[in-house]
Amino acid sequence: MALKGETSSGGARDGTSDSSSAARRNSKKPKYSRFTQQELPACKPILTPAWVSKQMKSPVYIYYQLDNFYQNHRRYVKSRSDKQLRSKASEDVTSTCKPEAVTENNSPIVPCGLIAWSLFNDTYGFSVKNKVIEVSKKNIAWKSDQESKFGSDVYPKNFQSGGLIGGAKLNASIPLSEQEDLIVWMRTAALPTFRKLYGKIETDLEANDEVTVVIQNNYNTYSFGGKKRLVLSTTSWIGGKNDFLGVAYLTVGGLCLFLAISFILLYVIKPRPLGDPSYLSWNRGHTSSTF
């Protein structure tokens, strides 16, 4: 009985092997090879931050960059009061600033609105060879904004005084026209990834200098799945580095070239027949009068 049982199980194994081999023959799965499975030896470089091998002449601009932050959201963009920002007499004009319009005691918040409430508040400190580098906050905002959109008689009031703090606080003894961090932030960006000017380093950075950056990480980007970056850059006579215009011009130019080639090929392969002028109404009328 034991032997018979082994023979029976052996027959079952043979049937299973036959069916599996038949399944392999009928399968469309390609034959295994290191080439088809992309297992050949390959170079896989790991990119690391590059060293700057040339001098950065002053001023060196410091930018903070935010990713996945939609400053162009309709409700966010409208949550401000331009009249309040311009004049102290319009301090109570907060109807467009909800939900950051007034305090629990119905006192106006200056500046009101979600844009000001979410003011970026990370801070950066720089040093080279244990020597602190001063960061200038002067002239980082547009002069037109300082002079026309933010009043010199408007001072922060009841700002960031609620239970939920959105971002940086403002010095209540300094008028809004001199709060350049706020002015830069209030000029909302059109795209979800943007850079804003934090300050300027007004000394040269020599080649191969090791810059130590101390970051106070205050701004919460985890709640909206965003990222923060710090960028040091210089400018030339045509401005700073920005890939957007180059990509836009190449995209539009490539599309125009593609359409031009397509129309040429269409005209050569299948040209449109020209019309017969004898069918024109004035030609038909002239022919009938001749007869």
Side-chain angles (χ1 to χ4, degrees), residues 242-253:
N242 191 332
D243 298 333
F244 176 76
L245 284 179
V247 173
Y249 289 155
L250 288 175
T251 302
V252 175

PDB file of all heavy atoms in Angstrom, residues 242-253:
ATOM      1  N   ASN A 242      16.531  82.175 -15.092  1.00  0.00           N
ATOM      2  CA  ASN A 242      15.147  81.711 -15.065  1.00  0.00           C
ATOM      3  C   ASN A 242      14.910  80.881 -16.319  1.00  0.00           C
ATOM      4  O   ASN A 242      15.036  81.381 -17.435  1.00  0.00           O
ATOM      5  CB  ASN A 242      14.183  82.900 -15.025  1.00  0.00           C
ATOM      6  CG  ASN A 242      12.761  82.470 -14.722  1.00  0.00           C
ATOM      7  OD1 ASN A 242      12.370  81.344 -15.031  1.00  0.00           O
ATOM      8  ND2 ASN A 242      11.987  83.352 -14.112  1.00  0.00           N
ATOM      9  N   ASP A 243      14.580  79.605 -16.136  1.00  0.00           N
ATOM     10  CA  ASP A 243      14.409  78.700 -17.265  1.00  0.00           C
ATOM     11  C   ASP A 243      13.038  78.794 -17.910  1.00  0.00           C
ATOM     12  O   ASP A 243      12.816  78.223 -18.975  1.00  0.00           O
ATOM     13  CB  ASP A 243      14.633  77.246 -16.816  1.00  0.00           C
ATOM     14  CG  ASP A 243      16.054  77.022 -16.310  1.00  0.00           C
ATOM     15  OD1 ASP A 243      16.938  77.767 -16.761  1.00  0.00           O
ATOM     16  OD2 ASP A 243      16.243  76.139 -15.471  1.00  0.00           O
ATOM     17  N   PHE A 244      12.117  79.508 -17.293  1.00  0.00           N
ATOM     18  CA  PHE A 244      10.735  79.491 -17.787  1.00  0.00           C
ATOM     19  C   PHE A 244      10.618  80.066 -19.189  1.00  0.00           C
ATOM     20  O   PHE A 244       9.999  79.476 -20.075  1.00  0.00           O
ATOM     21  CB  PHE A 244       9.819  80.255 -16.831  1.00  0.00           C
ATOM     22  CG  PHE A 244       8.404  80.376 -17.319  1.00  0.00           C
ATOM     23  CD1 PHE A 244       7.546  79.288 -17.253  1.00  0.00           C
ATOM     24  CD2 PHE A 244       7.939  81.566 -17.869  1.00  0.00           C
ATOM     25  CE1 PHE A 244       6.244  79.387 -17.709  1.00  0.00           C
ATOM     26  CE2 PHE A 244       6.637  81.674 -18.330  1.00  0.00           C
ATOM     27  CZ  PHE A 244       5.796  80.584 -18.253  1.00  0.00           C
ATOM     28  N   LEU A 245      11.206  81.241 -19.414  1.00  0.00           N
ATOM     29  CA  LEU A 245      11.087  81.870 -20.727  1.00  0.00           C
ATOM     30  C   LEU A 245      11.755  81.025 -21.807  1.00  0.00           C
ATOM     31  O   LEU A 245      11.221  80.878 -22.914  1.00  0.00           O
ATOM     32  CB  LEU A 245      11.697  83.272 -20.701  1.00  0.00           C
ATOM     33  CG  LEU A 245      10.866  84.362 -20.026  1.00  0.00           C
ATOM     34  CD1 LEU A 245      11.620  85.680 -20.049  1.00  0.00           C
ATOM     35  CD2 LEU A 245       9.515  84.522 -20.707  1.00  0.00           C
ATOM     36  N   GLY A 246      12.923  80.454 -21.507  1.00  0.00           N
ATOM     37  CA  GLY A 246      13.599  79.607 -22.486  1.00  0.00           C
ATOM     38  C   GLY A 246      12.760  78.402 -22.866  1.00  0.00           C
ATOM     39  O   GLY A 246      12.621  78.067 -24.051  1.00  0.00           O
ATOM     40  N   VAL A 247      12.194  77.733 -21.866  1.00  0.00           N
ATOM     41  CA  VAL A 247      11.343  76.570 -22.145  1.00  0.00           C
ATOM     42  C   VAL A 247      10.103  76.971 -22.926  1.00  0.00           C
ATOM     43  O   VAL A 247       9.675  76.290 -23.867  1.00  0.00           O
ATOM     44  CB  VAL A 247      10.952  75.876 -20.822  1.00  0.00           C
ATOM     45  CG1 VAL A 247       9.931  74.780 -21.064  1.00  0.00           C
ATOM     46  CG2 VAL A 247      12.185  75.313 -20.130  1.00  0.00           C
ATOM     47  N   ALA A 248       9.510  78.106 -22.550  1.00  0.00           N
ATOM     48  CA  ALA A 248       8.303  78.569 -23.251  1.00  0.00           C
ATOM     49  C   ALA A 248       8.604  78.887 -24.714  1.00  0.00           C
ATOM     50  O   ALA A 248       7.846  78.498 -25.616  1.00  0.00           O
ATOM     51  CB  ALA A 248       7.725  79.792 -22.543  1.00  0.00           C
ATOM     52  N   TYR A 249       9.708  79.601 -24.976  1.00  0.00           N
ATOM     53  CA  TYR A 249      10.059  79.955 -26.354  1.00  0.00           C
ATOM     54  C   TYR A 249      10.369  78.705 -27.183  1.00  0.00           C
ATOM     55  O   TYR A 249       9.945  78.605 -28.343  1.00  0.00           O
ATOM     56  CB  TYR A 249      11.258  80.895 -26.365  1.00  0.00           C
ATOM     57  CG  TYR A 249      10.978  82.286 -25.857  1.00  0.00           C
ATOM     58  CD1 TYR A 249      11.977  83.094 -25.330  1.00  0.00           C
ATOM     59  CD2 TYR A 249       9.676  82.810 -25.892  1.00  0.00           C
ATOM     60  CE1 TYR A 249      11.706  84.369 -24.863  1.00  0.00           C
ATOM     61  CE2 TYR A 249       9.411  84.079 -25.426  1.00  0.00           C
ATOM     62  CZ  TYR A 249      10.423  84.848 -24.910  1.00  0.00           C
ATOM     63  OH  TYR A 249      10.157  86.108 -24.448  1.00  0.00           O
ATOM     64  N   LEU A 250      11.107  77.759 -26.610  1.00  0.00           N
ATOM     65  CA  LEU A 250      11.427  76.536 -27.344  1.00  0.00           C
ATOM     66  C   LEU A 250      10.164  75.720 -27.632  1.00  0.00           C
ATOM     67  O   LEU A 250      10.018  75.141 -28.715  1.00  0.00           O
ATOM     68  CB  LEU A 250      12.429  75.695 -26.553  1.00  0.00           C
ATOM     69  CG  LEU A 250      13.866  76.237 -26.489  1.00  0.00           C
ATOM     70  CD1 LEU A 250      14.715  75.370 -25.567  1.00  0.00           C
ATOM     71  CD2 LEU A 250      14.489  76.292 -27.879  1.00  0.00           C
ATOM     72  N   THR A 251       9.249  75.679 -26.683  1.00  0.00           N
ATOM     73  CA  THR A 251       8.007  74.923 -26.880  1.00  0.00           C
ATOM     74  C   THR A 251       7.152  75.537 -27.982  1.00  0.00           C
ATOM     75  O   THR A 251       6.696  74.841 -28.896  1.00  0.00           O
ATOM     76  CB  THR A 251       7.214  74.873 -25.567  1.00  0.00           C
ATOM     77  OG1 THR A 251       8.018  74.275 -24.539  1.00  0.00           O
ATOM     78  CG2 THR A 251       5.937  74.062 -25.734  1.00  0.00           C
ATOM     79  N   VAL A 252       6.960  76.849 -27.912  1.00  0.00           N
ATOM     80  CA  VAL A 252       6.141  77.513 -28.937  1.00  0.00           C
ATOM     81  C   VAL A 252       6.835  77.459 -30.290  1.00  0.00           C
ATOM     82  O   VAL A 252       6.192  77.210 -31.322  1.00  0.00           O
ATOM     83  CB  VAL A 252       5.865  78.971 -28.514  1.00  0.00           C
ATOM     84  CG1 VAL A 252       5.125  79.713 -29.623  1.00  0.00           C
ATOM     85  CG2 VAL A 252       5.048  78.999 -27.232  1.00  0.00           C
ATOM     86  N   GLY A 253       8.158  77.671 -30.317  1.00  0.00           N
ATOM     87  CA  GLY A 253       8.882  77.598 -31.587  1.00  0.00           C
ATOM     88  C   GLY A 253       8.839  76.209 -32.195  1.00  0.00           C
ATOM     89  O   GLY A 253       8.650  76.054 -33.404  1.00  0.00           O
TER      90      GLY A 253
END
